[in-house]
């Protein structure tokens, strides 16, 4: 079983968490001015790189808070965990 360290609750089983995808995606300031291609890129295009990736996770069966991690996509090892300002739902 994989253990993930929640910044607020400590180590818990992976089954208590949900992955929220790549972290650091910034919503465009004026989305109505984007072309369909640019809007599609914002919504769907992600790096999905091999190796260390910055991701966001939510402790869904615990404190329900969001946090960011650096996770190695090859070994699945969590390298660093940080608190996030995002709480209570999708951005």
């Amino acid at each position: 079983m994989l253990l993930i360290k929640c910044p607020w609750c400590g180590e818990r089983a992976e089954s208590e968490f949900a992955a929220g995808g790549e972290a650091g995606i910034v919503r465009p300031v004026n989305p109505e001015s984007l072309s369909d291609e640019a809007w599609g890129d914002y919504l769907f295009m992600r790096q999905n790189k091999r190796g260390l990736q910055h991701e966001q996770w939510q402790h869904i069966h615990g404190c329900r808070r969001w946090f960011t991690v650096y996770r190695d996509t090859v070994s699945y090892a969590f390298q660093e965990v940080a608190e996030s300002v995002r709480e209570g739902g999708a951005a």
Side-chain angles (χ1 to χ4, degrees):
M1 167 181 22
L2 177 66
L3 294 177
I4 298 174
K5 183 179 179 186
C6 172
W8 298 275
C9 304
E11 280 193 347
R12 299 289 194 268
E14 177 186 13
S15 59
E16 291 191 16
F17 297 88
E22 186 177 331
I25 306 298
V26 178
R27 184 179 176 89
V29 176
N30 295 316
E32 64 279 351
S33 67
L34 294 178
S35 68
D36 288 345
E37 183 179 0
W39 184 246
D41 285 347
Y42 162 71
L43 290 175
F44 303 111
M45 301 306 290
R46 299 296 180 257
Q47 292 182 14
N48 197 27
K49 59 186 175 185
R50 181 179 171 90
L52 204 58
Q53 181 159 293
H54 192 205
E55 299 176 332
Q56 52 191 355
W57 287 70
Q58 185 183 20
H59 192 181
I60 58 171
H61 296 297
C63 63
R64 302 200 49 81
R65 295 178 83 172
W66 286 90
F67 58 97
T68 61
V69 302
Y70 284 95
R71 181 180 66 86
D72 188 320
T73 60
V74 176
S75 68
Y76 212 68
F78 286 73
Q79 304 292 325
E80 181 181 335
V81 176
E83 295 179 9
S84 178
V85 295
R86 179 178 157 184
E87 294 183 34

